Amino acid sequence: MLKEHIDSYYKKRNVEKDRKGFYATDSGQCPRRIYFSFKKYPKLEVEPRILRVFHNGDFVHTRLGGALVEEGVIKSEKDIEVPIPENDLIRGRADAIVEINGEKVVVDFKSVNGVKFRTLEAPEIEHVKQVMIYMHFFNIKKGLLVYECKNTQDIKEFEIKYDENLVKEILEFFRVLRYQIENNQIPDVPDWVEQWRCDYCPYLEECKKIGNPYYS
């Protein structure tokens, strides 16, 4: 009885708005997927169950951030969901900025399933790139990626140090992609995009029509 209404809510919530720019979370995404999103290519509908999983992950930020406010590690509410300073390329919000031993640190919270959590020995590169963007625009030289297991609420954290060369690479990625979008040049699927990402991409069928290295 109620499931239909809940599913309907999530379908409406998932309606994609016109994109106005890039987000820090795009830094680890396939450029072709981002291009398709800007150009509003047809895509597969995401199951409401998956949308609920994503939505549930959003509350991890609120819950863990709130705990750190209570502990006094986050000095005030303005240090949660902190927007990147205005610039002409990238938008986004850092989950939190904390102060540890007098040094400011950018924090990003992630929730992962039990299988991934157990095998997680280093932060995922797409998450590192995202934090690196925050560190760059806030001019902060240290970051922390905090992973919480969805199944057990266990936590692992990884320190991220500012890498100027990686930041240059990420910014160039966005500049090239912006040029391709403005000039209707469909990007290639880069070698670092693993096949499983393609398998789960809502634009896979459109991508196959153009030519995908995993489905040639």
Side-chain angles (χ1 to χ4, degrees), residues 8-43:
S8 173
Y9 164 79
Y10 278 96
K11 287 177 182 178
K12 292 173 186 173
R13 188 175 184 270
N14 193 47
V15 172
E16 195 164 6
K17 300 176 182 177
D18 290 342
R19 291 200 56 159
K20 304 295 184 185
F22 298 121
Y23 299 98
T25 49
D26 290 330
S27 54
Q29 294 294 323
C30 172
R32 184 177 287 182
R33 175 175 180 157
I34 300 169
Y35 178 93
F36 286 159
S37 176
F38 267 89
K39 299 296 184 179
K40 294 182 126 355
Y41 272 61
K43 65 177 185 176

Coordinates of all heavy atoms in Angstrom, one line a residue, residues 8-43:
S8 N 7.2 6.3 -5.6 CA 6.8 7.4 -6.4 C 7.6 8.7 -6.0 O 8.1 9.4 -6.8 CB 5.3 7.7 -6.3 OG 5.0 8.9 -7.0
Y9 N 7.8 8.8 -4.7 CA 8.5 10.0 -4.1 C 9.9 10.0 -4.6 O 10.5 11.0 -5.1 CB 8.5 9.9 -2.6 CG 9.5 10.8 -2.0 CD1 9.3 12.2 -1.8 CD2 10.7 10.3 -1.5 CE1 10.3 13.0 -1.2 CE2 11.7 11.1 -0.9 CZ 11.5 12.4 -0.8 OH 12.4 13.2 -0.2
Y10 N 10.6 8.8 -4.6 CA 12.0 8.7 -5.0 C 12.2 8.9 -6.5 O 13.2 9.5 -6.9 CB 12.6 7.4 -4.5 CG 13.0 7.5 -3.0 CD1 12.2 7.1 -2.0 CD2 14.2 8.2 -2.7 CE1 12.6 7.3 -0.7 CE2 14.6 8.3 -1.4 CZ 13.8 7.9 -0.4 OH 14.2 8.1 0.9
K11 N 11.2 8.4 -7.3 CA 11.3 8.7 -8.7 C 11.2 10.2 -9.0 O 11.9 10.7 -9.9 CB 10.2 7.9 -9.4 CG 10.4 6.4 -9.5 CD 9.2 5.7 -10.1 CE 9.4 4.2 -10.1 NZ 8.2 3.5 -10.7
K12 N 10.3 10.8 -8.3 CA 10.2 12.3 -8.5 C 11.4 13.0 -8.1 O 11.9 14.0 -8.7 CB 8.9 12.8 -7.8 CG 7.6 12.4 -8.3 CD 6.5 12.8 -7.4 CE 5.2 12.2 -7.9 NZ 4.0 12.5 -6.9
R13 N 11.9 12.6 -7.0 CA 13.1 13.2 -6.4 C 14.4 13.1 -7.3 O 15.3 13.9 -7.2 CB 13.4 12.5 -5.0 CG 14.5 13.2 -4.2 CD 14.6 12.5 -2.8 NE 15.5 13.2 -1.9 CZ 16.8 12.8 -1.9 NH1 17.3 11.8 -2.6 NH2 17.6 13.5 -1.1
N14 N 14.3 12.0 -8.1 CA 15.5 11.7 -9.0 C 15.4 12.4 -10.3 O 16.3 12.2 -11.2 CB 15.6 10.2 -9.2 CG 16.9 9.8 -9.8 OD1 18.0 10.2 -9.3 ND2 16.9 8.9 -10.8
V15 N 14.4 13.2 -10.6 CA 14.3 13.9 -11.9 C 15.5 14.8 -12.0 O 15.8 15.7 -11.1 CB 13.0 14.7 -12.0 CG1 13.0 15.6 -13.2 CG2 11.8 13.7 -12.0
E16 N 16.3 14.7 -13.1 CA 17.5 15.4 -13.2 C 17.3 16.8 -13.7 O 16.5 17.1 -14.6 CB 18.4 14.7 -14.2 CG 19.9 15.2 -14.2 CD 20.8 14.2 -14.9 OE1 20.4 13.3 -15.5 OE2 22.0 14.5 -14.8
K17 N 17.9 17.8 -13.0 CA 17.7 19.2 -13.4 C 18.8 19.5 -14.4 O 19.8 18.8 -14.6 CB 17.9 20.1 -12.1 CG 16.9 19.8 -11.1 CD 17.1 20.7 -9.8 CE 16.1 20.4 -8.7 NZ 16.4 21.1 -7.5
D18 N 18.6 20.6 -15.1 CA 19.6 21.1 -16.0 C 20.9 21.4 -15.3 O 20.9 22.1 -14.3 CB 19.2 22.4 -16.8 CG 18.0 22.1 -17.7 OD1 17.8 20.9 -18.1 OD2 17.3 23.1 -18.1
R19 N 22.0 20.8 -15.8 CA 23.3 21.1 -15.2 C 23.8 22.4 -15.5 O 23.9 22.8 -16.7 CB 24.3 20.0 -15.6 CG 23.9 18.6 -15.0 CD 25.0 17.6 -15.0 NE 26.2 18.1 -14.3 CZ 27.2 17.4 -13.8 NH1 27.1 16.1 -14.0 NH2 28.2 17.9 -13.2
K20 N 24.3 23.1 -14.5 CA 24.9 24.4 -14.7 C 26.4 24.4 -14.6 O 27.1 25.4 -15.0 CB 24.4 25.4 -13.6 CG 22.8 25.5 -13.6 CD 22.3 26.1 -14.8 CE 20.8 26.3 -14.7 NZ 20.1 26.7 -15.9
G21 N 27.0 23.4 -14.1 CA 28.4 23.3 -14.0 C 28.9 22.0 -13.4 O 28.1 21.0 -13.3
F22 N 30.2 21.9 -13.1 CA 30.8 20.7 -12.6 C 30.7 20.7 -11.1 O 30.7 21.7 -10.4 CB 32.2 20.6 -13.0 CG 32.5 20.5 -14.5 CD1 33.2 21.4 -15.2 CD2 31.9 19.4 -15.2 CE1 33.4 21.3 -16.5 CE2 32.1 19.4 -16.6 CZ 32.8 20.3 -17.3
Y23 N 30.8 19.5 -10.5 CA 30.8 19.3 -9.1 C 32.1 18.5 -8.7 O 32.6 17.8 -9.5 CB 29.6 18.5 -8.6 CG 28.3 19.2 -8.9 CD1 27.5 18.9 -10.0 CD2 27.8 20.2 -8.1 CE1 26.3 19.5 -10.3 CE2 26.6 20.9 -8.4 CZ 25.9 20.5 -9.5 OH 24.7 21.2 -9.8
A24 N 32.5 18.7 -7.4 CA 33.7 18.1 -7.0 C 33.6 16.6 -7.1 O 34.6 15.9 -7.4 CB 34.0 18.5 -5.5
T25 N 32.4 16.0 -6.9 CA 32.2 14.6 -7.0 C 32.4 14.1 -8.5 O 32.5 12.9 -8.7 CB 30.7 14.2 -6.6 OG1 29.8 15.1 -7.2 CG2 30.6 14.4 -5.1
D26 N 32.4 15.0 -9.5 CA 32.6 14.6 -10.9 C 34.0 14.2 -11.1 O 34.4 13.6 -12.1 CB 32.2 15.7 -11.8 CG 30.7 16.0 -11.9 OD1 29.9 15.0 -11.7 OD2 30.3 17.1 -12.1
S27 N 34.9 14.6 -10.2 CA 36.4 14.5 -10.5 C 36.8 13.0 -10.7 O 37.8 12.8 -11.4 CB 37.2 15.1 -9.4 OG 36.9 14.6 -8.1
G28 N 36.1 12.1 -10.2 CA 36.5 10.7 -10.4 C 35.5 9.9 -11.3 O 35.6 8.7 -11.4
Q29 N 34.6 10.7 -12.0 CA 33.6 10.1 -12.9 C 34.1 10.0 -14.3 O 35.0 10.7 -14.7 CB 32.3 10.9 -12.8 CG 31.7 10.9 -11.5 CD 31.1 9.5 -11.1 OE1 30.7 8.7 -11.9 NE2 31.2 9.2 -9.8
C30 N 33.5 9.1 -15.0 CA 33.8 9.0 -16.5 C 33.4 10.2 -17.2 O 32.3 10.7 -17.0 CB 33.1 7.8 -17.1 SG 33.2 7.6 -18.9
P31 N 34.3 10.9 -18.0 CA 34.0 12.1 -18.6 C 32.8 12.0 -19.6 O 32.0 12.9 -19.8 CB 35.2 12.5 -19.4 CG 36.0 11.3 -19.5 CD 35.7 10.5 -18.3
R32 N 32.7 10.8 -20.2 CA 31.6 10.6 -21.2 C 30.2 10.6 -20.4 O 29.3 11.1 -20.9 CB 31.7 9.3 -22.0 CG 30.7 9.1 -23.0 CD 30.9 7.9 -23.9 NE 32.0 8.0 -24.8 CZ 32.3 7.1 -25.7 NH1 31.7 5.9 -25.7 NH2 33.4 7.3 -26.5
R33 N 30.2 10.0 -19.3 CA 29.0 10.0 -18.5 C 28.6 11.4 -18.1 O 27.4 11.8 -18.2 CB 29.2 9.2 -17.2 CG 28.0 9.2 -16.2 CD 28.2 8.3 -15.0 NE 27.0 8.4 -14.2 CZ 26.7 7.5 -13.3 NH1 27.3 6.3 -13.2 NH2 25.6 7.6 -12.5
I34 N 29.5 12.2 -17.7 CA 29.3 13.6 -17.4 C 28.8 14.4 -18.6 O 27.8 15.2 -18.5 CB 30.5 14.3 -16.8 CG1 31.0 13.6 -15.5 CG2 30.2 15.8 -16.5 CD1 32.4 14.0 -15.0
Y35 N 29.4 14.1 -19.8 CA 29.0 14.8 -21.0 C 27.5 14.4 -21.3 O 26.7 15.3 -21.6 CB 29.9 14.3 -22.1 CG 29.5 14.8 -23.5 CD1 30.1 16.0 -24.0 CD2 28.6 14.2 -24.3 CE1 29.8 16.5 -25.3 CE2 28.2 14.7 -25.6 CZ 28.8 15.8 -26.0 OH 28.5 16.3 -27.3
F36 N 27.2 13.1 -21.2 CA 25.8 12.7 -21.5 C 24.8 13.4 -20.5 O 23.7 13.7 -20.9 CB 25.7 11.1 -21.3 CG 26.3 10.3 -22.4 CD1 26.7 9.0 -22.2 CD2 26.5 10.9 -23.7 CE1 27.2 8.2 -23.2 CE2 27.1 10.1 -24.7 CZ 27.4 8.8 -24.5
S37 N 25.2 13.5 -19.3 CA 24.4 14.2 -18.3 C 24.1 15.6 -18.7 O 22.9 16.1 -18.6 CB 25.0 14.1 -16.9 OG 24.3 14.8 -16.0
F38 N 25.1 16.4 -19.1 CA 25.0 17.8 -19.6 C 24.1 17.8 -20.8 O 23.2 18.7 -20.9 CB 26.3 18.3 -19.9 CG 27.0 19.1 -18.8 CD1 27.8 18.4 -17.9 CD2 26.8 20.4 -18.6 CE1 28.4 19.1 -16.8 CE2 27.4 21.1 -17.6 CZ 28.2 20.4 -16.7
K39 N 24.2 16.9 -21.7 CA 23.5 16.9 -22.9 C 22.1 16.2 -22.9 O 21.4 16.2 -23.9 CB 24.3 16.3 -24.1 CG 25.7 17.0 -24.3 CD 25.5 18.4 -24.8 CE 26.8 19.0 -25.2 NZ 26.6 20.4 -25.7
K40 N 21.8 15.7 -21.7 CA 20.5 15.1 -21.4 C 20.2 13.9 -22.3 O 19.1 13.8 -22.9 CB 19.4 16.2 -21.5 CG 19.4 17.2 -20.4 CD 18.2 18.2 -20.6 CE 17.4 18.4 -19.4 NZ 17.5 17.7 -18.2
Y41 N 21.2 13.1 -22.5 CA 21.0 11.8 -23.3 C 20.0 10.9 -22.5 O 19.9 11.0 -21.3 CB 22.3 11.1 -23.4 CG 23.1 11.5 -24.6 CD1 23.6 12.8 -24.8 CD2 23.5 10.6 -25.6 CE1 24.4 13.2 -25.9 CE2 24.3 11.0 -26.7 CZ 24.7 12.3 -26.8 OH 25.5 12.6 -27.9
P42 N 19.3 10.1 -23.3 CA 18.4 9.1 -22.6 C 19.2 8.2 -21.7 O 20.3 7.8 -22.0 CB 17.8 8.3 -23.8 CG 18.0 9.2 -25.0 CD 19.3 9.9 -24.7
K43 N 18.6 7.9 -20.5 CA 19.3 7.0 -19.6 C 18.3 6.1 -18.9 O 17.1 6.3 -18.9 CB 20.0 7.8 -18.5 CG 19.1 8.6 -17.6 CD 19.9 9.3 -16.5 CE 19.0 10.0 -15.5 NZ 19.7 10.6 -14.4

